[in-house]
Amino acid sequence: MRPALPRWSGTLAAKAAAFITVMCCALAALLGVLVHVQVTNQTVGQARDQALQRLATTTERYEAGDPLRRGAGLDPPGLPRRLRDLAVAGNRGTMVADFAGRPTMWAAGPADGDRALAVAVDYSQQARTIAGLDRAILWSSGLAIGATLLVGAFAVTRVTRRLHSTALVARRISAGDLDARVNDPRTQPCGKDSARPQDEVAAVAAALDSMASSLQSKLLAEQRFTADVAHELRTPLTGLHAAAELLPPGRPTELVRDRVAALRTLTEDLLEISRLDTGRERLELDTERLGPLAERVVRGMGDGTRVSIVRDVRVETDRRRLERVLGNLVENAHRHGRGPVVLTVDGPVVTVRDHGDGFPEYLVAHGPQRFRTEGGAKGHGLGLTIACGQAEVLGARLEFANAADGGAVATLRLVAR
């Protein structure tokens, strides 16, 4: 099982910072190694040439019988064994080794017998130069990495800030704010950044704004169509209702009156939905006890719903809208479920449960959709749609689920006073 990574590690800024850091470290290491190798080879080469030149001078003095200078001698103490063996074998060579606590460049060559003629050249200055170079490489690499990280973080933060703003606008649109737009300066024809070339973030912002405008125009057209149809239907339905009342009693008259009443209910529902779609509904707030209000709704419907009050509370709400929500939930439970239907008040949470087949999967996953029903159910899917719209106006949350032992459960969560 892979270990869980911290949440910040998935952000674009963290990934960009990690990538920049790794690349900077790799580049600094590569350049540092190249400079170190180049300078070290040059420094060691110069010291080796100096040591071999002194060895050649010492060899001439030794062969001429002149006394040897300081730092030269036959098998001097401190001469590395490997270099002595090389010299005894008849070859010349050099080697860096510590002597008397200081780095020393040794050069040795063959002498009479099994002896080696060697010279020692102080290598301290060259060693300090190489060590100072290594420190300079480390410090400069650290500063370069830090400066690159700051510049990269600034550049990435500008991009992520624009992406974050675009995501916020997308969430506002999904929440119903169809007027929300990104309005990226690079996408504006007369903006101060309009002359700059559009990058991928600006392209995404422009696409989102275009999608939102198209979606808004289509929804507005749909809302206008729904409202216009509902308003146009009211006049002929009023005439039909008046005419139906004049028909003689009988079964055909009852059927006509029933269908006219159904059409009037559908028209009123469409008008209510069109008002909710505009988002201009205003609340008439008052303080209500939730238990008595629920009992009043059930009593007015007269359909045998059982009310269970676990804990009563006062809520600040619009009584008419709340009664509308609860009434629609109870009516839906009786129409599409099976009894017993129980309305439970537990603090600011009201649940309506039936014992039927439960809600369709699409409704649980995405909420009610107008004019959509499944399984041969009667109705137009407007009751729950209106309940959701009124709950949103109230600032409440309406959730739909299916009980584990069967039945549909609608849960309305209000804000307690």
Side-chain angles (χ1 to χ4, degrees):
M1 183 176 178
R2 297 178 61 183
L5 296 175
R7 189 172 182 179
W8 56 263
S9 63
T11 62
L12 178 62
K15 293 179 179 179
F19 176 76
I20 293 174
T21 301
V22 171
M23 293 304 298
C24 286
C25 290
L27 182 61
L30 177 62
L31 293 177
V33 169
L34 291 177
V35 172
H36 173 82
V37 170
Q38 181 68 24
V39 174
T40 300
N41 288 339
Q42 183 179 359
T43 303
V44 172
Q46 292 175 353
R48 181 181 293 114
D49 291 342
Q50 181 183 359
L52 289 175
Q53 184 177 0
R54 288 190 59 181
L55 177 62
T57 303
T58 301
T59 301
E60 292 176 358
R61 294 179 65 86
Y62 174 74
E63 290 176 352
D66 296 335
L68 301 179
R69 295 180 179 178
R70 184 178 178 181
L74 295 172
D75 294 333
L79 178 66
R81 184 174 182 81
R82 289 177 56 192
L83 183 59
R84 183 183 183 283
D85 294 340
L86 180 68
V88 170
N91 299 308
R92 288 188 174 188
T94 59
M95 180 179 291
V96 177
D98 287 337
F99 177 63
R102 304 177 67 180
T104 303
M105 172 67 76
W106 289 93
D112 296 336
D114 294 334
R115 304 171 72 184
L117 181 64
V119 296
V121 178
D122 186 15
Y123 192 71
S124 300
Q125 182 62 37
Q126 290 85 343
R128 286 193 294 270
T129 300
I130 295 175
L133 173 66
D134 291 342
R135 287 192 297 271
I137 291 175
L138 289 176
W139 279 104
S140 60
S141 298
L143 291 175
I145 292 173
T148 305
L149 275 177
L150 290 176
V151 175
F154 175 75
V156 171
T157 301
R158 293 190 62 187
V159 175
T160 54
R161 188 184 300 116
R162 294 168 63 199
L163 287 174
H164 184 63
S165 300
T166 304
L168 287 178
V169 171
R171 282 193 284 268
R172 288 173 56 191
I173 294 173
S174 65
D177 183 6
L178 298 182
D179 293 324
R181 297 292 185 273
V182 179
N183 291 328
D184 192 295
R186 300 190 184 192
T187 64
Q188 305 302 313
C190 299
K192 63 179 182 179
D193 295 334
S194 59
R196 300 173 62 182
Q198 286 194 11
D199 55 6
E200 289 78 2
V201 180
V204 171
L208 180 63
D209 288 348
S210 175
M211 181 197 70
S213 298
S214 176
L215 179 63
Q216 185 179 33
S217 62
K218 291 179 180 179
L219 288 178
L220 290 176
E222 179 184 343
Q223 292 171 10
R224 284 194 298 269
F225 175 77
T226 302
D228 292 344
V229 167
H231 279 98
E232 291 298 326
L233 284 176
R234 296 185 78 176
T235 301
L237 280 176
T238 302
L240 280 175
H241 179 72
E245 293 297 326
L246 298 176
L247 293 175
R251 181 61 179 165
T253 299
E254 292 179 359
L255 292 176
V256 171
R257 290 175 178 175
D258 178 70
R259 292 300 86 197
V260 170
L263 280 174
R264 292 188 69 181
T265 301
L266 175 59
T267 302
E268 294 301 325
D269 287 346
L270 288 175
L271 283 172
E272 186 171 358
I273 287 178
S274 67
R275 288 194 300 268
L276 291 171
D277 285 341
T278 60
R280 296 186 178 92
E281 293 288 88
R282 293 293 179 263
L283 292 174
E284 296 179 4
L285 295 177
D286 196 5
T287 302
E288 299 282 344
R289 294 193 66 86
L290 196 52
L293 186 146
E295 291 176 338
R296 189 165 58 248
V297 170
V298 171
R299 190 165 52 249
M301 299 185 70
D303 49 18
T305 303
R306 182 164 62 89
V307 178
S308 173
I309 301 178
V310 179
R311 180 169 59 93
D312 195 10
V313 294
R314 288 184 176 273
V315 292
E316 189 174 16
T317 185
D318 187 322
R319 179 178 57 81
R320 180 184 64 83
R321 297 182 189 278
L322 182 55
E323 289 177 349
R324 177 68 160 151
V325 174
L326 296 181
N328 281 16
L329 294 179
V330 171
E331 181 182 359
N332 182 81
H334 282 284
R335 177 177 295 182
H336 301 292
R338 289 190 298 272
V341 176
V342 182
L343 187 152
T344 304
V345 177
D346 187 1
V349 179
V350 182
T351 58
V352 178
R353 178 184 177 182
D354 61 56
H355 291 76
D357 297 329
F359 290 119
E361 292 184 3
Y362 82 88
L363 193 148
V364 175
H366 306 291
Q369 300 177 22
R370 60 192 72 174
F371 298 108
R372 177 175 180 179
T373 56
E374 291 188 356
K378 297 180 180 179
H380 304 91
L382 300 182
L384 293 182
T385 302
I386 292 174
C388 285
Q390 294 289 11
E392 184 177 350
V393 174
L394 292 173
R397 190 167 74 251
L398 184 56
E399 302 169 349
F400 301 95
N402 291 322
D405 54 348
V409 181
T411 304
L412 179 67
R413 302 182 185 276
L414 299 162
V415 179
R417 184 171 182 266

